[in-house]
Amino acid sequence: MTSTTTSSHLGALLMAPVNALMRVVDIPLRGLQKSTGIGGMAAFFLAPNMLIFGIFVLLPLFINIVYSTTGGTAFFLSERSFVGTEQYQRLFTCTNYLDPMSCQEDAFWTAVGNTFWFVVLQVALMILVSLVTALILNRDLIGRSFWRAVFFFPVLLSPVVVGLIWKWILQRQGLLNFILYEIGNVTPYTWLTDRNWTFIATIGVSIWAHMGLYTLILLAGLQAIPKDLYEAAEMDGTKPARVFWRITLPLLAPNLLVVVVLALIKAVQIFDEVYVLTGGGPGTSTLYLTQYIYETGFASALRNPGLAAAASILMGLVLVVLTLMQLGLGRKNENKGKR
Amino acid sequence: MGAAARFILRRKGGKGWHWTDIVTWVWLIGGLIIMFGPAMWLAFSSFKTPAALNEFPPSILPYVTSQATVQGYDKPLQLFEAKMPDGTTKVLAEVRRIGLVAQMVDPTTPGEIIKVNMNDRTPVRSVSFATENYTEPFTQFDFLRYLWNSVFVTVVATLITLIVNSMAAFALSKYEFTGRNLAMFVILATLMVPLSVIMVPLYSIISTLGMFNSLWGVILPTVATPTGVFILRQYMLTIPDELIDAARMDKASEWQIYWRIVLPLTAPALAVLAIFSVVWRWNDFLWPLIVLSRRELYTLQVGLSIYSGELNVQWHFILAMTVVTMIPVVLVFIFLQRFITTGIAGTGLK
């Protein structure tokens, strides 16, 4: 009782200068309101957000097109010369489109290929794991919120921390080798120098880090399925497998589709944890699109902002298609809910 | 014993065990180990000395070999438990090693050298936490600076996010004006524009504005989050307009209505957005990596990635600083996890 009153006193004390400031701010704003009217104040409230959006999101979108049609290594637009579609042509110059090495920009096509396989495998596996976890969490469990939190924990961790946790486990003297040594006396292996294992590691680590989010959304979808459907099925003596295929899956389908598209959008942009875990290597085995754009634009000695901009626009187009799919699916769900 | 087991394994409604129950519990316990195990392993490792970190097979707890200063020797000597020829064991200090034979001395009688076969001795070890892993990066490296930069970016960006987003949400939920739908559309459309698509032009804008190598260059592009506007607007729509009309009758200015009426009523949604924003900004990596190139400006995430990418990784420092970086997020997880999970389940946004 006393502690709450003290804390509210403390709160009042802390808020006092803020409130005083707001009272001072109010004086010129009343003047503004008098000259613009109430409607004008709406513009005032909207202005800061729109200004920041305009400068840091919309403006870059347009400048990106300018970058992708100009050449040179300079970042200032005035020092760049117009080259038309040269950057795009450079990206698409290949003698054999199925072999990245035959392309002029072989790193780009390697990144595209890697990202494609990463997205396909990671999303498929992650949705499967998330769905199984959601189904299990949806059962009559003791301490469900605890178990839900367990699977959600890695979602909050920073990608850098995730990368370092797993880099440490996959070391030669790391936990994985230790476990394999204890179980089967396997000799320690340097997992992160093996092309195939690093690719698998990036898939596994990103599933570990993000599956909690999708589990949560799917669980919310499962809990929205009316209980009486299951009761009716039980009364009819329907087999559990049939209940799953005939009730659970069809009613979860809209959520599942949204989750798949959301996972696709995130997977296409994969960068942070992989950059820390493998740095794109060994060689180019885990070089994904965002890292290609980052290195082409900023990090490499032969940096080429125009080429990076062109690649990022191509990636943006893929994301726009995916997002439109997501919005379309969302609308369809809403209509279903209304009916 | 049997009764206790039966009590623990008893199911609701007196039903027996089904194979799906076994799958459920295997999955849950396995999940518990896989989700928490790696982070725990990192935390335990962070208290080990560099020598202990290089051991294989590793131990879970941080052990160090005990040492003793022996009269007549400058450096402290490592202690071993040695099997003597007569079958007894004795604690001896190692002087030097020649091939398979170690020359050792008894710390109590330092004069005479005892020769012991390598296989007949085991090191004397005790649990010891290498807390210098935590103190040294702060005192000898710039990590205190990185910590401060991270805290600054997180706090300032979150405050600006809350103010700017709530103002926009107020305008979009409580006013009728031409272009409102356009503004909504623009905000929702920016959900489609992730950083990886606009990093090249964004970098040039930040440079032009003179914010390259400045923490403000990290903060400003992130504060106008569409998600934030969306969450707050949805919440403000539920506040009855009558309240606002009544305040206008009482000659309250629009700013007062925003500050004194709408904001306090939006507190739950603001709290959710604040938690999200703190986690987002604390975890941000790619954009700070691009904007900050001077060492003293790094955030914890950038500093960690740069140091861990060096050729000679000082794992004992990296592990300790990773734990420090994890702490705020773990605190959020322990105390505020419920808000986040309900927030995500409600909006489907992250």
Side-chain angles (χ1 to χ4, degrees):
Chain A
M1 194 60 201
T2 39
S3 75
T4 51
T5 43
T6 359
S7 71
S8 70
H9 278 309
L10 192 70
L13 208 66
L14 283 172
M15 281 310 281
V18 179
N19 279 328
L21 177 72
M22 287 303 152
R23 233 167 284 148
V24 175
V25 170
D26 189 43
I27 298 164
L29 287 181
R30 262 179 200 274
L32 182 71
Q33 190 180 332
K34 216 166 259 169
S35 62
T36 63
I38 287 175
M41 287 307 282
F44 162 78
F45 283 113
L46 204 53
N49 206 58
M50 282 295 156
L51 203 65
I52 294 172
F53 262 139
I55 296 174
F56 297 114
V57 181
L58 294 183
L59 192 56
L61 270 183
F62 293 108
I63 298 183
N64 215 7
I65 299 168
V66 180
Y67 267 106
S68 73
T69 53
T70 52
T73 55
F75 258 105
F76 283 103
L77 287 175
S78 52
E79 295 164 25
R80 298 176 62 81
S81 53
F82 183 75
V83 295
T85 57
E86 196 183 274
Q87 307 284 15
Y88 294 95
Q89 278 167 0
R90 185 170 163 189
L91 285 180
F92 281 104
T93 304
C94 286
T95 46
N96 174 7
Y97 280 95
L98 291 175
D99 177 19
M101 286 307 143
S102 74
C103 300
Q104 193 186 351
E105 243 341 90
D106 55 324
F108 174 70
W109 287 102
T110 308
V112 168
N114 286 344
T115 309
F116 175 79
W117 286 114
F118 174 86
V119 168
V120 169
L121 293 170
Q122 194 248 20
V123 172
L125 283 171
M126 180 154 69
I127 297 301
L128 186 69
V129 174
S130 303
L131 180 62
V132 172
T133 312
L135 284 170
I136 282 176
L137 290 177
N138 195 37
R139 300 188 64 182
D140 224 353
L141 276 184
I142 305 162
R144 182 193 293 154
S145 53
F146 168 77
W147 293 110
R148 194 179 59 180
V150 166
F151 288 94
F152 187 71
F153 169 67
V155 175
L156 293 178
L157 292 179
S158 90
V160 174
V161 168
V162 168
L164 286 173
I165 285 178
W166 286 95
K167 196 176 179 182
W168 178 240
I169 286 174
L170 298 172
Q171 288 289 302
R172 203 182 162 281
Q173 71 275 27
L175 185 63
L176 181 63
N177 280 331
F178 177 43
I179 292 170
L180 292 176
Y181 174 82
E182 289 287 314
I183 295 172
N185 214 359
V186 184
T187 31
Y189 188 65
T190 47
W191 302 95
L192 292 176
T193 57
D194 182 313
R195 297 180 69 93
N196 297 323
W197 282 113
T198 38
F199 180 70
I200 293 168
T202 56
I203 292 176
V205 168
S206 62
I207 291 176
W208 180 81
H210 302 297
M211 65 159 285
L213 176 69
Y214 304 103
T215 302
L216 210 62
I217 301 173
L218 288 178
L219 183 62
L222 283 175
Q223 289 177 338
I225 298 176
K227 293 277 171 290
D228 44 351
L229 285 177
Y230 290 108
E231 281 160 17
E234 200 178 345
M235 267 193 246
D236 292 345
T238 319
K239 288 214 173 74
R242 209 176 145 80
V243 172
F244 175 76
W245 289 110
R246 288 300 172 88
I247 299 177
T248 310
L249 211 54
L251 286 173
L252 193 64
N255 284 68
L256 210 53
L257 275 173
V258 169
V259 163
V260 168
V261 177
L262 201 63
L264 285 173
I265 291 173
K266 298 257 172 186
V268 171
Q269 302 171 50
I270 184 82
F271 172 75
D272 300 7
E273 52 264 57
V274 171
Y275 185 71
V276 174
L277 184 70
T278 71
T284 53
S285 55
T286 54
L287 177 72
Y288 298 124
L289 257 179
T290 303
Q291 190 179 343
Y292 169 79
I293 297 170
Y294 167 67
E295 286 184 344
T296 310
F298 304 97
S300 77
L302 302 159
R303 71 165 194 217
N304 185 342
L307 197 62
S312 72
I313 286 177
L314 294 179
M315 181 171 154
L317 289 177
V318 174
L319 292 174
V320 165
V321 170
L322 288 173
T323 312
L324 288 178
M325 270 168 67
Q326 188 194 16
L327 291 178
L329 289 171
R331 180 144 314 153
K332 220 161 117 195
N333 290 349
E334 250 170 49
N335 290 344
K336 235 183 226 160
K338 271 175 204 150
R339 244 179 274 145
Chain B
M1 197 55 197
R6 230 175 298 135
F7 177 75
I8 291 167
L9 296 175
R10 195 173 59 178
R11 300 293 324 283
K12 215 186 255 180
K15 277 185 246 165
W17 276 70
H18 190 249
W19 66 268
T20 51
D21 298 322
I22 296 162
V23 171
T24 298
W25 285 101
V26 167
W27 191 273
L28 290 178
I29 303 292
L32 186 69
I33 294 167
I34 292 171
M35 292 296 155
F36 283 130
M40 299 296 280
W41 176 251
L42 182 102
F44 276 116
S45 300
S46 73
F47 288 103
K48 290 180 178 176
T49 58
L53 286 176
N54 276 318
E55 260 174 27
F56 191 88
S59 58
I60 291 174
L61 288 173
Y63 283 103
V64 288
T65 312
S66 304
Q67 294 182 321
T69 38
V70 182
Q71 210 183 348
Y73 297 93
D74 303 337
K75 283 185 190 160
L77 303 176
Q78 294 203 327
L79 288 177
F80 287 87
E81 212 160 68
K83 228 192 275 164
M84 304 305 286
D86 56 357
T88 58
T89 54
K90 230 178 182 178
V91 175
L92 298 178
E94 183 185 79
V95 180
R96 67 177 74 82
R97 230 175 77 189
I98 303 161
L100 283 174
V101 179
Q103 297 190 345
M104 309 187 90
V105 289
D106 192 330
T108 47
T109 52
E112 97 196 79
I113 297 273
I114 308 164
K115 285 183 181 163
V116 182
N117 192 302
M118 287 286 292
N119 297 329
D120 290 341
R121 44 162 233 182
T122 47
V124 176
R125 284 149 55 101
S126 58
V127 174
S128 158
F129 292 92
T131 47
E132 65 271 16
N133 290 352
Y134 284 84
T135 51
E136 273 178 36
F138 283 133
T139 52
Q140 292 177 14
F141 296 88
D142 277 343
F143 271 93
L144 200 60
R145 184 96 230 171
Y146 305 162
L147 179 65
W148 162 249
N149 291 341
S150 274
V151 169
F152 180 80
V153 167
T154 305
V155 171
V156 173
T158 299
L159 285 177
I160 300 179
T161 300
L162 289 180
I163 294 170
V164 169
N165 286 1
S166 66
M167 281 170 69
F170 178 52
L172 291 171
S173 62
K174 292 298 165 206
Y175 293 98
E176 294 281 344
F177 57 93
T178 43
R180 189 174 82 162
N181 288 337
L182 180 72
M184 261 325 272
F185 176 77
V186 167
I187 289 172
L188 278 177
T190 52
L191 273 172
M192 272 186 252
V193 189
L195 172 65
S196 41
V197 173
I198 54 167
M199 61 185 161
V200 173
L202 191 55
Y203 171 85
S204 84
I205 286 174
I206 289 291
S207 311
T208 312
L209 294 175
M211 288 192 279
F212 177 64
N213 261 331
S214 140
L215 292 179
W216 290 102
V218 175
I219 293 169
L220 283 182
T222 61
V223 294
T225 62
T227 316
V229 177
F230 189 72
I231 292 176
L232 294 177
R233 178 176 174 268
Q234 293 304 93
Y235 199 90
M236 285 179 185
L237 284 174
T238 63
I239 297 172
D241 289 340
E242 288 78 11
L243 269 178
I244 292 166
D245 293 335
R248 281 197 188 123
M249 301 268 200
D250 292 340
K251 297 257 181 335
S253 72
E254 298 302 303
W255 177 257
Q256 279 177 320
I257 292 172
Y258 160 74
W259 179 254
R260 307 281 300 266
I261 297 172
V262 174
L263 262 200
L265 288 174
T266 320
L270 285 171
V272 170
L273 179 60
I275 299 168
F276 273 119
S277 175
V278 165
V279 174
W280 287 334
R281 299 293 83 87
W282 184 263
N283 290 348
D284 267 348
F285 173 60
L286 176 55
W287 185 238
L289 182 70
I290 292 172
V291 176
L292 309 172
S293 75
R294 290 217 316 264
R295 275 192 177 238
E296 68 270 22
L297 288 170
Y298 287 169
T299 58
L300 271 178
Q301 315 285 349
V302 176
L304 265 180
S305 103
I306 301 276
Y307 277 101
S308 70
E310 281 176 349
L311 217 50
N312 253 329
V313 184
Q314 294 186 296
W315 271 109
H316 53 298
F317 292 151
I318 295 290
L319 294 175
M321 288 305 103
T322 308
V323 172
V324 170
T325 311
M326 243 161 61
I327 288 172
V329 171
V330 169
L331 289 179
V332 165
F333 174 74
I334 293 171
F335 295 109
L336 305 169
Q337 175 264 130
R338 198 167 284 270
F339 290 100
I340 299 181
T341 46
T342 49
I344 290 173
T347 59
L349 293 164
K350 193 215 147 197

